[in-house]
Amino acid sequence: MDSMVWHSLFGRFVWIDLPVVKAWQDPTISNIIAGAAAMIAVFGALAGLGLITWLRKWRYLWSEWFTSLDHKRIGIMYVCLAVVMIVRGVIEGVLMRVQQDLAVNAPGILAPDHFAQFFSTHGTIMIFFVVMPLISGLVNFAMPLQIGARDVAFPFLNSIGLWLSVGGAVLVMVSLVIGEFSTGGWSGYPPYTELAFNGGVGPDYWIWAVTMSSLSAMLTGLNFAVTIYKLRAPGMSWMRLPLFSWTALCTAILMIFAMPPLTVATLLLAADRYLGMHFFTNDLGGNMMNYVNLFWLFGHPEVYILILPAFGVYSEVVSAYSSKELYGYVSLVIATMAIAVLSFTVWLHHFFTMGQSANVNAFFGILTMLIGIPTGVKLYNWTWTMFRGRVRYTAPMLFTLAFLITFVIGGLSGIILATPPLDYMMHNTLFLVAHFHNMLIPGTLFGMIAGCQYWFPKAFGFRLEEKWGKRAVFFWVVGFYMAFMPLYVLGADGATRRTVEFSNPAFQPWLLVAMCGGFLILAGLASLFVQVWVSVKKRDRLAVPVGDPWDARGLEWSISAPPPEYNFVSIPQVGHRDAFYWRKRNHGAYKPADHYRDIEMPKNTGWGVIFGLGMAVCFFGLVWHIWWMAILFGLLSIAAGLVRSFQRDLHKIIPAAEIEAADRHWLAIAAAATPVSRHLEETPSNEGRAIWPE
């Protein structure tokens, strides 16, 4: 084919950009690993598509899930996206540990550029396409139920947010099969990601994937904030709002204000690469530090975007599994708001080493230490909630206990790094890697796993099997300590981060322990999959159709499991902080409505799918300079938004008779169910009507 025609059709793509072809032509271990990963991704995708086709589920998935505007289903799809992405993220983390253990005075198994891609994709995936979708998923599912709403404020915007996030994840996964990902780290610092230093497609994949994720998060934050402001049930004042919903509100506000700096940074970096601009170079007035400031104006609030929802989960879990009212509710609310405000004041501690004056460093170091105070308030309150409570050591509670202990260690290491002279010595070492993971894995990931297990019965109508859940806790916790505690020692001894090969043989024993820890974490992830598989097989024995298997307190537990599309037969009236718990104790639960009325709900629509995936294809065209593809699918996405904006038939009516029949059927199940004590919580007799003796 003529080179001009090829370039017009396929941009800068050539066959050597396929990892399989590169592995065939140059069969090094590193290239073989890349080619095998690409083949696994391709065959995995084909197997999934083939299975859906064989089961004839395409129409069902399209009509009931992909096009759904139901906040619960959108939340579940967010979690499914995170589950797919965490598999790649954890495997890459383990392979990095393997490489570093084998590469002590030896080349190891990965070429330097390949290793750099690993730490870039690992960080990008885990932050933007695992934890962020988990947060959006849990908040989407639980928050409207907790505040007594039928849906979020903007259901279609919710769909757009989901499919933008899916589109960004698709770009990251496609980079495994066609081309390569960025080698510039998850933060994408110029000048290394500028065109002159990195002319490949990797930084472009990173730019557009992260841009899609940041736009998704900003839109989702707007949606969550408006929902909590405007759609709370009558009587649910601010001081009656569940703690998880409080953390969701503060997280939403952080999303609204923290995501735009990231979007601006990535778009300006794209302008440098595509349009010959010099925003972040030393030529023609550019300055790399502008990027660093923009990125960390997002980056430090992002840390609390990740951690605050987990704090909300821990508040719900500790209260439910201790059979006690949450201790110090008001102080927890104040601490949550204080963390949200202070998170915008400490971004500069991420670059203490870049030449600011001692006074500036001292100012931000003090602020960084101050943010530990409201976090400490939360830890004390959770501990006092458990004190003299009837604690049940379920898998979510065990994850919470592991967090309480491990997070303190991470916090203490954070105080060390908040001291500018110490940070100057530790900043570019594995000590920082250990601290960062010490905060994010037990702080965020344990919380998200605990939240998924806690609300799983509400979402699907059956409990998760506890035995495999507890095994997962063991592997995750022991694996975490083995994988990251040695990094504190290595970092203090001078081992630098992002290093493909070490020359000091004294590092190898610690690296070996860290590698073994990585494999244990992988076993923990596998245990969670086994837990779901076993639970699905035993779903009849684990069924909890009444919907309250933990004797919990919030409104989300007052309805059937799984909940109906409209959530509540009638919008609840809230008179107390723990509204459902109060109703149960005063014989007000499981009562029919006074009147059954028609309910209006949003119709399903596929325009959100078209918009999000169309943008993904558009950005794929930009990555490879396939201009016809970028223009065509960019216009398609814009057209999808415009067409939807002119539609008027957006709602459907669910008849009162249908609602009454479903409600009375559920009430009959609830009346027939035997209330169970905590000693029978894990037995088949728990049908979702748990109650503890006073």
Side-chain angles (χ1 to χ4, degrees):
M1 185 182 294
D2 181 80
S3 61
M4 184 174 294
V5 175
W6 177 275
H7 185 73
S8 299
L9 292 176
F10 302 108
R12 50 179 170 168
F13 170 78
V14 291
W15 290 112
I16 196 64
D17 289 317
L18 297 176
V20 175
V21 175
K22 188 180 294 185
W24 180 267
Q25 293 186 355
D26 183 18
T28 63
I29 295 176
S30 186
N31 286 342
I32 290 171
I33 291 173
M39 293 302 294
I40 290 170
V42 170
F43 284 120
L46 291 176
L49 298 174
L51 180 62
I52 296 170
T53 303
W54 182 65
L55 295 174
R56 298 180 180 179
K57 292 294 184 181
W58 281 112
R59 177 172 295 181
Y60 167 75
L61 289 173
W62 176 260
S63 61
E64 298 296 327
W65 286 90
F66 298 159
T67 62
S68 176
L69 300 188
D70 183 348
H71 70 95
K72 300 179 291 299
R73 294 197 167 188
I74 287 177
I76 292 169
M77 286 189 284
Y78 265 119
V79 172
C80 291
L81 170 65
V83 167
V84 172
M85 299 304 290
I86 196 174
V87 173
R88 179 180 172 188
V90 171
I91 290 174
E92 288 181 337
V94 172
L95 284 174
M96 283 192 287
R97 296 276 78 82
V98 171
Q99 163 66 21
Q100 289 187 324
D101 179 59
L102 297 178
V104 177
N105 290 317
I109 58 173
L110 298 175
D113 277 358
H114 196 185
F115 180 80
Q117 288 181 57
F118 267 50
F119 69 69
S120 300
T121 51
H122 174 74
T124 302
I125 286 171
M126 296 304 290
I127 296 293
F128 294 106
F129 300 108
V130 173
V131 180
M132 290 297 287
L134 282 173
I135 289 168
S136 296
L138 283 183
V139 175
N140 246 308
F141 180 84
M143 178 269 290
L145 295 172
Q146 286 194 330
I147 67 173
R150 297 209 187 282
D151 208 325
V152 293
F154 308 115
F156 179 63
L157 193 65
N158 206 16
S159 176
I160 286 179
L162 167 67
W163 290 103
L164 281 174
S165 192
V166 170
V170 167
L171 283 180
V172 175
M173 295 303 289
V174 167
S175 72
L176 192 66
V177 179
I178 305 174
E180 58 186 18
F181 200 70
S182 175
T183 54
W186 82 278
S187 53
Y189 274 15
Y192 186 67
T193 49
E194 293 282 359
L195 196 61
F197 297 95
N198 197 332
V201 297
D204 299 319
Y205 269 125
W206 181 87
I207 286 169
W208 299 120
V210 170
T211 298
M212 294 188 77
S213 175
S214 64
L215 289 172
S216 168
M218 183 177 64
L219 297 176
T220 301
L222 284 166
N223 211 347
F224 289 162
V226 175
T227 300
I228 296 172
Y229 280 132
K230 294 294 187 182
L231 299 185
R232 300 192 311 279
M236 182 167 281
S237 62
W238 289 112
M239 286 299 114
R240 291 175 180 168
L241 200 64
L243 243 299
F244 181 74
S245 293
W246 260 114
T247 59
L249 175 62
C250 291
T251 300
I253 294 170
L254 293 180
M255 286 177 171
I256 294 168
F257 290 102
M259 290 300 167
L262 175 64
T263 307
V264 169
T266 56
L267 291 179
L268 292 180
L269 183 59
D272 279 7
R273 290 182 61 85
Y274 284 82
L275 302 176
M277 301 295 184
H278 295 277
F279 291 107
F280 304 129
T281 68
N282 290 327
D283 298 330
L284 303 178
N287 189 338
M288 188 199 82
M289 288 305 297
N290 290 335
Y291 180 92
V292 176
N293 275 284
L294 282 170
F295 185 86
W296 289 112
L297 274 172
F298 142 81
H300 202 81
E302 168 70 5
V303 172
Y304 294 97
I305 290 172
L306 303 180
I307 201 70
L308 282 177
F311 285 172
V313 169
Y314 293 133
S315 298
E316 302 291 337
V317 167
V318 166
S319 177
Y321 293 120
S322 299
S323 301
K324 279 182 66 180
E325 181 180 358
L326 198 59
Y327 180 87
Y329 171 89
V330 174
S331 62
L332 281 168
V333 171
I334 294 171
T336 300
M337 292 190 290
I339 289 171
V341 172
L342 287 171
S343 71
F344 282 102
T345 67
V346 296
W347 82 92
L348 195 133
H349 74 216
H350 288 275
F351 44 102
F352 276 153
T353 60
M354 291 191 181
Q356 298 82 219
S357 69
N359 289 335
V360 171
N361 282 353
F363 175 78
F364 282 93
I366 292 168
L367 284 175
T368 302
M369 294 182 189
L370 283 177
I371 206 168
I373 295 174
T375 306
V377 168
K378 288 177 172 287
L379 293 169
Y380 279 115
N381 284 356
W382 292 323
T383 303
W384 281 106
T385 301
M386 289 184 285
F387 181 67
R388 291 185 176 176
R390 287 169 289 189
V391 178
R392 288 106 71 202
Y393 296 103
T394 61
M397 192 66 183
L398 291 174
F399 273 118
T400 301
L401 292 172
F403 150 76
L404 288 173
I405 298 167
T406 312
F407 197 74
V408 172
I409 298 171
L412 292 173
S413 64
I415 296 299
I416 293 172
L417 292 170
T419 308
L422 292 175
D423 181 81
Y424 193 85
M425 291 188 293
M426 301 288 191
H427 184 80
N428 201 38
T429 71
L430 288 174
F431 190 96
L432 182 66
V433 176
H435 163 72
F436 186 69
H437 288 82
N438 209 156
M439 307 306 284
L440 283 187
I441 293 181
T444 300
L445 201 55
F446 285 6
M448 294 298 101
I449 296 171
C452 289
Q453 296 194 331
Y454 177 65
W455 279 301
F456 187 95
K458 177 57 60 178
F460 296 102
F462 60 94
R463 292 175 286 113
L464 285 171
E465 198 266 348
E466 278 290 323
K467 185 184 296 183
W468 275 100
K470 291 173 181 176
R471 288 171 181 167
V473 173
F474 172 81
F475 286 127
W476 273 101
V477 174
V478 175
F480 167 80
Y481 275 91
M482 289 182 65
F484 295 104
M485 292 303 157
L487 303 191
Y488 283 119
V489 180
L490 288 165
D493 205 23
T496 53
R497 56 187 174 137
R498 303 170 180 156
T499 301
V500 67
E501 182 180 339
F502 294 104
S503 59
N504 188 344
F507 292 168
Q508 191 152 38
W510 297 104
L511 292 168
L512 176 61
V513 174
M515 181 184 72
C516 293
F519 281 107
L520 284 178
I521 290 174
L522 191 59
L525 180 62
S527 297
L528 293 174
F529 285 111
V530 174
Q531 183 191 24
V532 173
W533 173 257
V534 171
S535 302
V536 170
K537 290 178 66 176
K538 297 181 178 179
R539 60 187 179 275
D540 292 335
R541 295 181 57 207
L542 299 170
V544 287
V546 182
D548 179 30
W550 321 127
D551 190 34
R553 296 171 175 267
L555 289 174
E556 73 267 35
W557 303 103
S558 67
I559 55 179
S560 64
E565 180 183 1
Y566 43 82
N567 294 345
F568 301 94
V569 171
S570 57
I571 298 298
Q573 298 287 325
V574 177
H576 299 80
R577 184 174 295 157
D578 294 323
F580 180 53
Y581 192 82
W582 185 89
R583 270 199 259 163
K584 287 187 292 184
R585 293 303 180 266
N586 291 275
H587 309 289
Y590 308 114
K591 303 292 184 184
D594 294 332
H595 301 284
Y596 291 94
R597 297 181 174 86
D598 294 348
I599 295 176
E600 184 180 81
M601 296 299 296
K603 282 184 175 181
N604 291 4
T605 177
W607 292 116
V609 184
I610 296 170
F611 182 90
L613 297 186
M615 290 302 296
V617 179
C618 168
F619 290 149
F620 177 81
L622 288 176
V623 167
W624 289 99
H625 296 183
I626 307 174
W627 304 117
W628 65 266
M629 181 183 291
I631 294 169
L632 177 62
F633 283 90
L635 292 175
L636 176 65
S637 295
I638 294 171
L642 290 174
V643 170
R644 169 68 183 183
S645 68
F646 282 100
Q647 288 182 333
R648 291 294 176 264
D649 183 19
L650 305 177
H651 297 91
K652 62 183 178 182
I653 300 296
I654 302 176
E658 179 182 328
I659 295 166
E660 181 176 3
D663 188 50
R664 292 195 181 278
H665 175 70
W666 170 66
L667 290 172
I669 294 173
T674 303
V676 296
S677 69
R678 64 176 180 164
H679 304 294
L680 300 174
E681 184 180 80
E682 297 180 20
T683 68
S685 58
N686 184 359
E687 297 179 82
R689 192 168 182 181
I691 187 166
W692 312 126
E694 296 295 340

